[in-house]
């Protein structure tokens, strides 16, 4: 249970523009990829993620459409709380695949809400400091030449 929110700086580094592209299946867009970086000074276990939400152009995308991809593995958002052995290092980019039929080409207003508890700031049993690593950025969807195709 969170007790204190700390808003971190460098939120312009959280959303990774070079990973923002549509995902295709048989030449048809089925979703898009969003790269995420930590702006915390330490890595953390994926189970520390308390909230993960994405808005694109003002529309909240439901979490059942997300797959959180890290260390070569993909997880639903509901699985994150149990991933004690999965570590997100500060130099690793995690990917969030969102299966919403893709996005139109061009610029989009992307807003990420990312809250995680810091296992290093324990105040009492089950009471941890919570870090707000949220970010908002205007991002341009990469062109077809750089898009991901899934088999």
């Amino acid at each position: 249970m969170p007790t204190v929110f700390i808003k971190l700086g460098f939120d312009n580094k959280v959303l990774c523009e070079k990973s923002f592209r549509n995902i295709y299946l048989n030449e048809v867009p089925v979703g898009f990829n969003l790269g995420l970086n930590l702006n915390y000074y330490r890595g953390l276990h994926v189970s520390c993620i308390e909230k993960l939400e994405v808005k694109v152009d003002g529309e909240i995308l439901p979490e059942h459409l997300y797959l959180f991809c890290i260390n070569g593995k993909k997880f639903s958002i509901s699985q994150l709380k149990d991933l004690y052995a999965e570590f997100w290092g500060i130099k690793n980019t995690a990917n969030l695949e969102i299966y919403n039929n893709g996005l139109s080409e061009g610029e989009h207003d992307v807003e990420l809400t990312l809250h995680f508890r810091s296992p290093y700031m324990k105040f009492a049993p089950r009471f941890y400091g919570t870090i707000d690593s949220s970010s908002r950025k205007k991002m341009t969807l990469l062109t077809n030449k750089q898009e991901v195709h899934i088999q």
Side-chain angles (χ1 to χ4, degrees):
M1 170 158 284
T3 185
V4 174
F5 272 96
I6 298 170
K7 177 65 177 154
L8 296 174
F10 305 107
D11 56 328
N12 61 326
K13 303 290 185 192
V14 173
L15 294 170
C16 183
E17 294 176 52
K18 66 182 179 184
S19 301
F20 186 50
R21 60 188 175 266
N22 273 332
I23 300 169
Y24 285 83
L25 178 63
N26 297 327
E27 306 299 321
V28 177
V30 293
F32 69 94
N33 186 77
L34 187 59
L36 308 176
N37 294 308
L38 285 174
N39 61 343
Y40 197 47
Y41 75 104
R42 301 176 88 156
L44 60 107
H45 295 277
V46 174
S47 61
C48 292
I49 296 172
E50 296 280 334
K51 182 175 184 179
L52 184 61
E53 179 182 271
V54 176
K55 284 185 191 177
V56 176
D57 300 326
E59 178 187 347
I60 297 174
L61 302 173
E63 73 175 36
H64 71 272
L65 301 176
Y66 305 176
L67 285 179
F68 186 83
C69 310
I70 194 160
N71 303 327
K73 302 170 193 163
K74 297 181 181 192
F75 304 99
S76 69
I77 298 304
S78 63
Q79 291 176 297
L80 299 184
K81 66 183 179 347
D82 298 321
L83 298 178
Y84 303 102
E86 228 35 77
F87 194 76
W88 186 0
I90 61 170
K91 293 185 178 182
N92 295 2
T93 298
N95 286 290
L96 195 58
E97 294 178 353
I98 301 178
Y99 290 92
N100 69 333
N101 299 319
L103 297 172
S104 60
E105 288 189 20
E107 189 175 76
H108 295 276
D109 180 25
V110 180
E111 186 174 353
L112 171 75
T113 302
L114 176 59
H115 299 163
F116 57 89
R117 73 182 170 279
S118 173
Y120 317 108
M121 291 192 303
K122 187 173 184 178
F123 299 113
R126 297 185 321 234
F127 287 92
Y128 294 89
T130 302
I131 308 299
D132 181 353
S133 191
S134 301
S135 181
R136 184 174 185 176
K137 189 184 278 190
K138 295 264 188 201
M139 297 173 60
T140 302
L141 198 70
L142 295 179
T143 63
N144 290 342
K145 294 178 184 175
Q146 299 168 320
E147 298 192 22
V148 172
H149 294 268
I150 57 176
Q151 318 293 343

